[in-house]
Amino acid sequence: MPEDFSFIQITDHHLGPSATSVRLGYAVNYTFTQTLQHLAQYAAPQADFLISTGDLVDPPTPQGYTWLQNELGAAPGSAAFPGPLSMRRPGLEGLPLYLMPGNHDDRRRMCEQFFPLSRPGGMLNASFEHKGVLFLCLDWGADSKARLYPELYNCLDQGLRSGLPLVICMHHQVTSLNMRWMDAFIADEVNAFWEALCAPTTTARILGIIAGHTHISYEKVEYGIPTWGLRSTSYTFHPIDTLAVRLANPQYRLFSIQNGVLTSRLFEVPLPLMDDTAVGEEI
Ligand SMILES: [Fe+2]
């Protein structure tokens, strides 16, 4: 039985190079900062670490990664991918940080910025252990549509053989939201993934799957395994069959493991209006 602890998930930041960057009508860097401020106050005091499930920047420029690094106060340390990095941002000082890539991330640039000891050959698959739980960070690739690469399957197989309780972290989703365009991004080979998890002695050790990519929060049980998705810290989407961007408040999750059971509490971040004093003065 693992120790009890909590951790925070954020996802899909789509950051630009400056505090005023806008993407699809959404002030993505501003809402990311608001999310950090909110979780520092309400969730971080209970959490052992923070993990982002990818799409850190969009497009993946060095300037975007530098802005993120400065905002977190997360200088590259001695950790290889996926961390932990140690943050120096006020309110989050010393909180360990794990970073995963999404389809919009440049894996080589991301490692140069945060994990210079890691040399990604292609995908970034890795695991870390925390208080008796093995976190598998699985990489379905740099395209909108997921692909089950051999590296992912090997990492999954190693984790399943560890005998430890598992939390499986990933960017892409592995479960349908009943949205035609979004569901098309699920890997064609997803059944092989679920078959690996559904071996008789395996399912009970999987505490849950946490994902990003959809920009929409959901909670489902698939083959007996709890599966969570999370609204982005940037724009979200209407839950319909065609792509339609929706502007809404960012969300994040505080996960807790108690007595070997993983549960989630969803937080929504209020957005104070941006101070337009400077704009007014210019006019
Ligand atoms: Fe995204």
Side-chain angles (χ1 to χ4, degrees):
M1 181 78 71
E3 287 181 51
D4 293 352
F5 64 93
S6 298
F7 63 96
I8 302 164
Q9 180 202 7
I10 54 176
T11 199
D12 290 87
H13 320 309
H14 291 259
L15 297 167
S18 77
T20 54
S21 293
V22 172
R23 181 101 177 103
L24 298 182
Y26 205 91
V28 285
N29 294 50
Y30 170 73
T31 52
F32 181 74
T33 298
Q34 293 296 319
T35 303
L36 291 183
Q37 288 179 359
H38 194 275
L39 68 86
Q41 184 174 359
Y42 294 101
Q46 306 157 61
D48 281 13
F49 63 83
L50 171 65
I51 185 168
S52 171
T53 42
D55 278 358
L56 306 179
V57 301
D58 178 14
T61 61
Q63 293 82 3
Y65 286 118
T66 298
W67 187 90
L68 173 61
Q69 190 167 58
N70 291 336
E71 191 67 8
L72 297 167
S78 56
F81 171 81
L85 302 166
S86 182
M87 289 187 282
R88 292 197 292 268
R89 180 190 173 84
L92 296 174
E93 300 101 330
L95 187 70
L97 169 71
Y98 295 91
L99 295 176
M100 294 176 60
N103 53 296
H104 284 279
D105 287 298
D106 182 313
R107 282 142 181 78
R108 181 182 58 78
R109 265 191 195 146
M110 181 182 155
C111 284
E112 284 173 358
Q113 192 87 34
F114 292 100
F115 309 111
L117 297 181
S118 294
R119 292 276 182 274
M123 302 298 105
L124 281 171
N125 294 279
S127 63
F128 64 91
E129 189 178 338
H130 187 82
K131 293 184 175 174
V133 175
L134 190 65
F135 287 78
L136 290 184
C137 299
L138 302 182
D139 189 351
W140 293 86
D143 296 314
S144 295
K145 184 177 177 66
R147 276 189 61 188
L148 205 171
Y149 292 90
E151 299 97 308
L152 184 155
Y153 198 84
N154 292 341
C155 185
L156 176 65
D157 188 53
Q158 277 188 6
L160 294 174
R161 289 169 190 268
S162 70
L164 292 169
L166 296 170
V167 174
I168 300 178
C169 309
M170 56 182 61
H171 179 71
H172 292 79
Q173 81 275 29
V174 288
T175 188
S176 166
L177 297 189
N178 296 316
M179 297 166 61
R180 198 179 308 135
W181 73 275
M182 183 73 80
D183 290 354
F185 294 153
I186 297 173
D188 292 338
E189 313 88 352
V190 74
N191 285 345
F193 170 82
W194 285 114
E195 282 170 16
L197 301 192
C198 291
T201 57
T202 301
T203 307
R205 280 194 293 108
I206 300 169
L207 306 185
I209 297 172
I210 71 175
H213 197 43
T214 59
H215 292 217
I216 290 174
S217 292
Y218 59 87
E219 184 168 351
K220 301 181 80 172
V221 177
E222 297 277 12
Y223 303 101
I225 298 170
T227 305
W228 288 274
L230 178 58
R231 185 188 291 173
S232 55
T233 65
S234 60
Y235 51 87
T236 181
F237 301 110
H238 288 283
I240 57 177
D241 278 337
T242 52
L243 191 162
V245 172
R246 184 165 81 93
L247 307 183
N249 295 58
Q251 294 181 339
Y252 64 90
R253 288 190 186 276
L254 178 67
F255 285 101
S256 294
I257 295 176
Q258 286 186 304
N259 300 317
V261 176
L262 181 63
T263 57
S264 158
R265 181 178 170 194
L266 191 62
F267 287 76
E268 187 154 312
V269 180
L271 291 178
L273 289 176
M274 291 179 82
D275 183 358
D276 61 355
T277 306
V279 176
E281 285 174 351
E282 282 178 16
I283 291 171

